[in-house]
Amino acid sequence: GQPEKAVGLIQEAIRANPEFCQGYRNLGLIHVEQGQLEQAKNSFEKMATKCPDAPEAQHGLGQVALKQGRAEDAKKAFAKCFSLAKEGAAFREECGKLSGLGGGGP
């Protein structure tokens, strides 16, 4: 309910621990909610750099790309998300569907 305060606290945590991947993820999510898509993209890109095996970063990048009308970039991010996500992960199926790699249900 207090996004500005949350952003400040998360940024402090990241300054203390630059490898805090969930901090970048949370910043990205807050920026998406605020309609700040470039800031969201930057946060998810930092997460992808710090934690290259985290499918959440690619999922976030795909969501931002969709909102920005960058369909090909979104498809690539969702494909990478699908390949990184473990079987049964909450958004693996969504990434598969959005990338065209599968995940379709009956």
Side-chain angles (χ1 to χ4, degrees), residues 40-93:
K41 180 181 173 211
N42 291 338
S43 294
F44 290 124
E45 285 175 342
K46 286 179 185 172
M47 182 184 183
T49 299
K50 299 288 183 182
C51 301
D53 295 331
E56 296 94 334
Q58 298 303 320
H59 184 263
L61 286 169
Q63 292 292 334
V64 170
L66 280 179
K67 290 179 182 289
Q68 292 178 321
R70 297 182 296 110
E72 196 57 38
D73 290 339
K75 187 175 180 177
K76 288 177 188 175
F78 287 126
K80 190 162 186 180
C81 169
F82 182 78
S83 70
L84 292 172
K86 293 182 176 159
E87 192 69 40
F91 47 80
R92 186 174 196 265
E93 185 175 331

Side-chain angles (χ1 to χ4, degrees), residues 1-13 27 30:
Q2 298 178 356
E4 294 83 16
K5 184 176 181 181
V7 166
L9 292 171
I10 295 167
Q11 287 174 333
E12 284 180 36
L27 280 179
I30 291 169

